[in-house]
């Protein structure tokens, strides 16, 4: 059975008792667990993407075979432990990566991985929220993690404020 919980309550529970931000290493470990638990059985570390305008590296990439025609779905993770202010350089870098992936790699999406403590700034700091919303409108996923193996994945910005289904 599944019940709906407000996003604010969900993240309050995710962040309960936490005082510090996760490190990049903790995010990588949590993302690895997320990939495995969601069927992404092909994991690659330090994968270089060199098609497109920029060459960039992803510390962790997850792929799985999906659909009747056995298409490969791939998610390229970008790790940013702390998102609490508008960072034009970071957001421009994410935009370049996203477009290079969409234009040059079939069935491949970019996923921004951040600490669940970043939730409030993303939905409250207007400039940051608008920039993240624009990236998500173009196809970027957003994964929030906490240090207790909790996670929340979003594919649309509007879902960040909608009730979240939680199994009983």
């Amino acid at each position: 059975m599944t019940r709906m919980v407000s996003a604010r309550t969900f993240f309050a529970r995710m962040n309960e008792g936490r005082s510090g931000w996760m490190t990049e290493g903790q995010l990588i470990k949590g993302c690895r667990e997320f990939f495995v638990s969601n069927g992404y059985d092909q994991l690659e570390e330090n994968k270089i993407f060199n098609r497109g305008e920029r060459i960039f590296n992803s510390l962790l990439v997850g792929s799985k075979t999906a659909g009747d025609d056995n298409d490969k779905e791939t998610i390229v993770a970008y790790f940013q432990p702390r998102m609490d202010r508008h960072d034009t350089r970071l957001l421009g870098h994410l935009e370049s990566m996203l477009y290079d992936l969409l234009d040059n790699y079939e069935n491949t999406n970019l996923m921004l991985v951040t600490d669940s403590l970043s939730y409030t700034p993303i939905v409250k700091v207007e400039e940051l929220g608008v920039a993240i919303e624009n990236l998500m409108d173009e196809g970027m996923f957003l994964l929030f993690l906490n240090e207790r193996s909790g996670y929340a994945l979003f594919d649309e910005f509007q879902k960040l404020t909608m009730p979240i289904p939680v199994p009983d």
Side-chain angles (χ1 to χ4, degrees), residues 28 31-32 35-36 40-49 51 57-64 72-79 105 108:
I28 293 168
C31 185
R32 179 181 300 283
F35 277 144
V36 169
Y40 290 85
D41 54 353
Q42 301 163 34
L43 301 180
E44 295 178 78
E45 295 180 0
N46 295 315
K47 181 172 171 98
I48 295 175
F49 292 87
R51 290 187 231 151
N57 178 51
S58 176
L59 297 175
L60 187 61
V61 175
S63 298
K64 69 179 178 179
K72 185 176 176 180
E73 291 180 11
T74 301
I75 296 179
V76 176
Y78 183 87
F79 299 92
Y105 296 88
T108 301

Side-chain angles (χ1 to χ4, degrees), residues 111-131:
M111 178 173 70
L112 173 60
V113 182
T114 189
D115 190 308
S116 60
L117 292 172
S118 297
Y119 172 77
T120 300
I122 287 173
V123 297
K124 298 284 185 192
V125 176
E126 185 176 354
E127 298 86 9
L128 179 59
V130 168

Side-chain angles (χ1 to χ4, degrees), residues 3-4 17 27 34 59 83 85 90 100 121 128 149 158:
R3 62 188 168 92
M4 301 301 278
L27 288 177
F34 165 79
L59 297 175
M83 299 279 304
R85 59 185 172 77
L90 168 67
D100 276 351
L128 179 59
S149 298
Q158 293 75 17

